[in-house]
Amino acid sequence: MADKLIIFDTTLRDGEQSPGASMTRDEKLRIARQLERLKVDVIEAGFAASSNGDFEAVQAIANAIKDSTICSLSRANDRDISRAAEALSGANSARIHTFIATSPLHMEKKLRMSPDQVLEQAKQSVRFARNLVGDIEFSPEDGYRSDMDFLCRVLEAVIAEGATTINVPDTVGYAVPELYGEFIRTLRERIPNSDKAIWSVHCHNDLGMAVANSLAGVKIGGARQVECTINGLGERAGNCSLEEIVMAVKTRKDYFNLELGIDTRQILAASRMVSQTTGFVVQPNKAVVGANAFAHASGIHQDGVLKARDTYEIMRAEDVGWTANKIILGKLSGRNAFKQRLQDLGVEMHSESDVNTAFAKFKELADRKSEIFDEDILALVSEENIHNDKEQFGFVSLSQHSETGERPQASVIFTVDGKEVHGQSDGNGPVDASLKAIESLVKSGAEMVLYSVNAISGSTESQGEVTVRLQNSGRVVNGVGSDPDIVVASAKAYLSALNKLQSTADRVAAQG
Ligand code: KIV
Ligand code: ZN
């Protein structure tokens, strides 16, 4: 029988560390539900000790998700580990993932600890964690740049203390495939009790080799867990991408000979959800989930695919969730059809009143846009989740005037803590005028570091999806808004980013 490859998704923890990708508790819960539908084996839901917000998100996910193991990251100290255990207490299956850096550079410059102190702390924290939860993962941070002899000592010791998974991170994305694979193999060969743990790979993408390195860790090194994120989201250049690693192992089963538990038909929905929630747009030529991943432009390729699909296709688009871009609803569609479509798309609404609000928005959109695609519904619902009553700012309406040779003017009505206010401004263009109209009242002082517009379903008839990235007092957040009118989409995105600046105010950068 082929071995199983465990898929450990860290979109909600390492992915969220990407500047601007921070998510609210509800957004994380929604993504966790999609990860469960995708049947990932382990969901790293966050870093419980890093903030109250993260604690609550891990706790909510641990209570709601039943089929995947839920994991929390924690530094190698009793306080972090206790917080992780507390947040995970409602989980069906819980894992604590504790880490400490082991490379000479990190130990000396960052931790200011001697190797012996690090070894002791690693042992002590695994021992402590093991008394709280049976499933313990240990990571030597910057493991790939650590001294082999020292790493062997640390890993042998933590396995003896009860660590059940050993994860070897290439924290800075420095590895190359063959060397990384051999590094894992050497560790497994030299450590006497290595067979008592499952070996895991965790690769960053700084040199664009995260997926290749992870595959080498599996093939050459014998790792049986891969840590990855949807769309490769993550710090700097990101992590190993889940969709690529999964489809590589599945498509080349002849070579890897490994079983996967993943329902690959849920991949695209997961990719879209993460992209719409974080505002990190997926590049069109991205493998598996990019808009062009299964599009054949050249005549020779089109001809070949029509005659025999496998002339130019190694995977089937429908196996990763692509369906024809069909019109699914219009203005005559009823509430039941809308609700059914939400279910088919894997969107869960909290209550019937949420369905009603989303349906009212859908009707509004259908009046302005004759063809409603799945993408429109997903955007509408994610917006629905973003602009809820609990948030400080909400969009109401906007009017603007622009004419060649004249300076554009905008007037925006929005709510602040439920009360309507009215801002006015001019600007370089209608978008600039609208955002200045909001800022004239909010006075956030935030700096805009990114503004991007994307057509949700292709043509000028489609909705515009706008991402606004704001930076303030060291915090970076993304807001996303969509509407057939891109000026309105921009105002919604700006308000959404302002809401996120509020909700991330209590976060602390706790990663040591
Ligand atoms: O990249 C890294 O080293 C990490 C560890 C905390 C596992 O994310
Ligand atoms: Zn990482």
Side-chain angles (χ1 to χ4, degrees), residues 278-281 447-453 466-471 477-479:
T278 58
F280 280 61
V281 175
E447 182 195 352
M448 188 178 303
V449 286
L450 177 122
Y451 171 82
S452 84
V453 189
V466 172
T467 303
V468 165
R469 187 173 299 165
L470 297 182
Q471 183 170 352
V477 294
N478 276 333

Side-chain angles (χ1 to χ4, degrees), residues 13-14 169 171 202 204 239:
R13 196 280 296 170
D14 212 328
T171 304
H202 177 112
H204 281 266
N239 284 66

Side-chain angles (χ1 to χ4, degrees), residues 13-55:
R13 196 280 296 170
D14 212 328
E16 206 212 12
Q17 282 171 219
S18 193
S22 64
M23 298 170 229
T24 63
R25 191 194 76 127
D26 285 356
E27 287 168 343
K28 284 187 163 195
L29 190 54
R30 192 162 153 250
I31 291 174
R33 290 204 160 103
Q34 179 58 25
L35 293 173
E36 188 182 35
R37 279 190 284 275
L38 184 59
K39 298 196 194 312
V40 304
D41 301 285
V42 186
I43 298 174
E44 189 163 50
F47 183 172
S50 69
S51 70
N52 291 339
D54 242 32
F55 179 90

